[in-house]
Amino acid sequence: VTAPAGRRARLTADGIASSALRLVDEEGLEALSMRRLADDLGVGTMTLYGYFRNKDELLDAVVDAATQDFEPPARRGNPRTRLVAYARAAREWLLRHPALVQLRGREPILRPAALRITELGIEALLDAGLEPAEAARAFRVLFVYTFGAVAFSAAEPGEDERRAVTAAMRALPAAEFPALGRAAEGAGAALGGAEQFDYGVGRLLDGFGIR
Amino acid sequence: VTAPAGRRARLTADGIASSALRLVDEEGLEALSMRRLADDLGVGTMTLYGYFRNKDELLDAVVDAATQDFEPPARRGNPRTRLVAYARAAREWLLRHPALVQLRGREPILRPAALRITELGIEALLDAGLEPAEAARAFRVLFVYTFGAVAFSAAEPGEDERRAVTAAMRALPAAEFPALGRAAEGAGAALGGAEQFDYGVGRLLDGFGIR
DNA sequence: ACCTGAACACCGTTCAAGT
DNA sequence: ACCTGAACACCGTTCAAGT
């Protein structure tokens, strides 16, 4: 990854990709257009097409650039501790690059940097004593849960937001929504955040029989 | 929901929304533009703005229309059986309307039709003996897992695709990827589909202590 | 009241042309 | 070799105007 230091530095595919990643991290995936990115780089729009066949190919390179940024947890402690650390590291990585969860969905997981992340997870599951076939299944469940948590939950909901959800559920007609009424108190806490994520990881590891 | 029967039927917000839902189900979310939808309805683009303030408001109505289509499972059997049926029903509902998982993410769950679906899930978790606070947490985990599975897994991967993944992982250098090599066989099966989804639901229910 | 064309500020990408 | 403006076929939305 070369730094695009000077304003008129020679362009490279990697440099363009990391500029695109920065744009996407700061302003969201929808802010990234070929025209906007070229403008930011001080270059004509069509120049980018000398480095990437089209926008999809640029997005692949953005995914690759973001994947470099995964921080593998220490390979210390018992397997359960390692798996919890691994899941947290994956969540934090995705929170740093939320566009990743929007760009995955079609993409498979077969790019080299991603495979190294997968290797770490499966390794920990095998060390925990799972049979290889079950380790594969368990890994995929953890993967889906982690991506889902980032895509469909608030990263760290504020107190106000939690209280608003609890209040809204308490205000529901009790005849029609008895269960929601009883769970209103807990719904605020369950909204999102690291604690709720850890709860899910814990229940999954329990379910896998990993103590 | 009124049927937009004749080609020149009087427009209604509901009718427009269900036309938009049909378009999105058949051709994907990216096929839905105000211009294309208006064309399909045989009407000027700007006519739509008489029914919806903007595209976001139309998308809200599309979500509402799709939400009507959830098929609640029978309230029969023991709580575990009911929860499995509930999770499967939710997955199948999302598979019928994949745009829902793309449109969720920002939206909260506080619309009336969605609340009725949530009520059913929390009810089953309370019936299974969970404390209200844990039922709220468990529900959110199931929600995240189900949405994640539809968003980040193939609905029903073909034999070819499964075999290709197994082959790709077996071909990896064993020195660098020992765990992936051992799990290659299982990775094909874990790719996606109903069975893999059920495996995850089962482990979660085990983790919740629901037998 | 209900509908709409023109216009504006955007897209991704092809093509032919510049240095 | 490397870069690019013009053009084409699209967007969402504002505005002023039609019936």
Side-chain angles (χ1 to χ4, degrees):
Chain A
V1 186
T2 31
R7 37 195 68 244
R8 268 297 146 139
R10 203 114 230 79
L11 286 180
T12 63
D14 279 354
I16 294 171
S18 60
S19 290
L21 177 60
R22 197 167 354 104
L23 176 58
V24 144
D25 285 344
E26 282 168 12
E27 303 189 34
L29 187 55
E30 65 290 346
L32 173 59
S33 74
M34 300 300 270
R35 294 166 117 112
R36 164 73 192 277
L37 178 61
D39 259 23
D40 284 7
L41 292 167
V43 101
T45 306
M46 292 316 301
T47 302
L48 301 181
Y49 287 81
Y51 299 88
F52 301 97
R53 211 189 311 280
N54 51 39
K55 192 179 181 181
D56 266 6
E57 218 177 64
L58 168 64
L59 289 174
D60 284 351
V62 169
V63 170
D64 276 353
T67 305
Q68 310 295 334
D69 191 38
F70 178 75
E71 301 249 14
R75 206 139 69 241
R76 269 188 289 117
N78 66 39
R80 175 156 181 137
T81 307
R82 277 164 55 199
L83 283 162
V84 169
Y86 178 81
R88 285 177 178 162
R91 172 172 178 267
E92 276 149 27
W93 165 58
L94 293 173
L95 287 175
R96 259 177 277 135
H97 305 292
L100 277 178
V101 305
Q102 295 169 74
L103 291 172
R104 249 301 329 237
R106 33 184 173 169
E107 302 255 357
I109 359 113
L110 299 174
R111 298 175 150 276
L115 282 174
R116 231 161 297 124
I117 300 178
T118 305
E119 169 73 16
L120 248 44
I122 306 251
E123 180 193 51
L125 289 165
L126 291 172
D127 287 355
L130 264 54
E131 294 300 319
E134 180 158 18
R137 295 213 107 117
F139 177 80
R140 270 254 129 201
V141 170
L142 280 171
F143 167 84
V144 156
Y145 174 68
T146 303
F147 272 68
V150 175
F152 304 114
S153 280
E156 207 54 75
E159 263 316 308
D160 297 356
E161 203 185 335
R162 296 189 193 271
R163 261 195 295 268
V165 167
T166 293
M169 285 178 54
R170 234 203 287 275
L172 257 23
E176 222 183 327
F177 298 104
L180 286 182
R182 290 179 64 198
E185 195 64 49
L191 246 197
E195 208 178 323
Q196 167 68 15
F197 177 75
D198 284 354
Y199 167 80
V201 171
R203 295 302 69 72
L204 277 172
L205 296 179
D206 289 350
F208 300 150
I210 299 173
R211 333 258 136 192
Chain B
V1 185
T2 31
R7 38 194 67 243
R8 267 297 146 138
R10 203 114 229 78
L11 287 179
T12 63
D14 279 354
I16 294 170
S18 59
S19 290
L21 176 60
R22 197 167 354 104
L23 176 58
V24 144
D25 286 343
E26 283 168 12
E27 303 188 35
L29 187 55
E30 65 291 347
L32 174 60
S33 74
M34 300 301 270
R35 293 165 118 113
R36 163 74 191 276
L37 179 60
D39 259 22
D40 284 5
L41 292 167
V43 101
T45 305
M46 293 317 300
T47 302
L48 300 182
Y49 287 80
Y51 298 87
F52 300 98
R53 211 188 312 279
N54 51 38
K55 192 180 181 180
D56 266 7
E57 218 178 64
L58 169 63
L59 289 174
D60 284 351
V62 169
V63 170
D64 277 353
T67 305
Q68 309 296 332
D69 192 37
F70 178 74
E71 300 249 13
R75 202 135 76 237
R76 268 188 288 117
N78 66 40
R80 176 155 180 139
T81 307
R82 278 164 55 198
L83 283 163
V84 169
Y86 178 82
R88 286 178 178 162
R91 173 172 176 266
E92 276 150 26
W93 164 58
L94 293 173
L95 287 176
R96 259 176 277 135
H97 305 292
L100 277 178
V101 304
Q102 295 170 73
L103 291 171
R104 239 328 304 249
R106 32 181 175 172
E107 302 256 356
I109 0 113
L110 298 174
R111 298 175 149 275
L115 282 173
R116 231 162 296 124
I117 300 179
T118 305
E119 168 73 16
L120 248 44
I122 305 251
E123 180 193 51
L125 289 164
L126 291 172
D127 287 356
L130 264 54
E131 294 300 318
E134 181 159 18
R137 294 214 108 116
F139 177 80
R140 268 256 132 200
V141 170
L142 281 170
F143 167 85
V144 156
Y145 174 68
T146 303
F147 272 68
V150 174
F152 304 113
S153 280
E156 206 56 72
E159 262 317 307
D160 297 356
E161 203 185 335
R162 295 189 194 272
R163 261 195 295 267
V165 167
T166 293
M169 285 178 54
R170 234 202 287 274
L172 258 23
E176 221 182 329
F177 299 104
L180 285 182
R182 289 179 64 199
E185 195 64 49
L191 247 196
E195 208 178 322
Q196 167 67 15
F197 177 75
D198 284 355
Y199 167 80
V201 171
R203 297 301 70 72
L204 277 172
L205 297 178
D206 289 351
F208 300 151
I210 299 173
R211 334 259 136 193

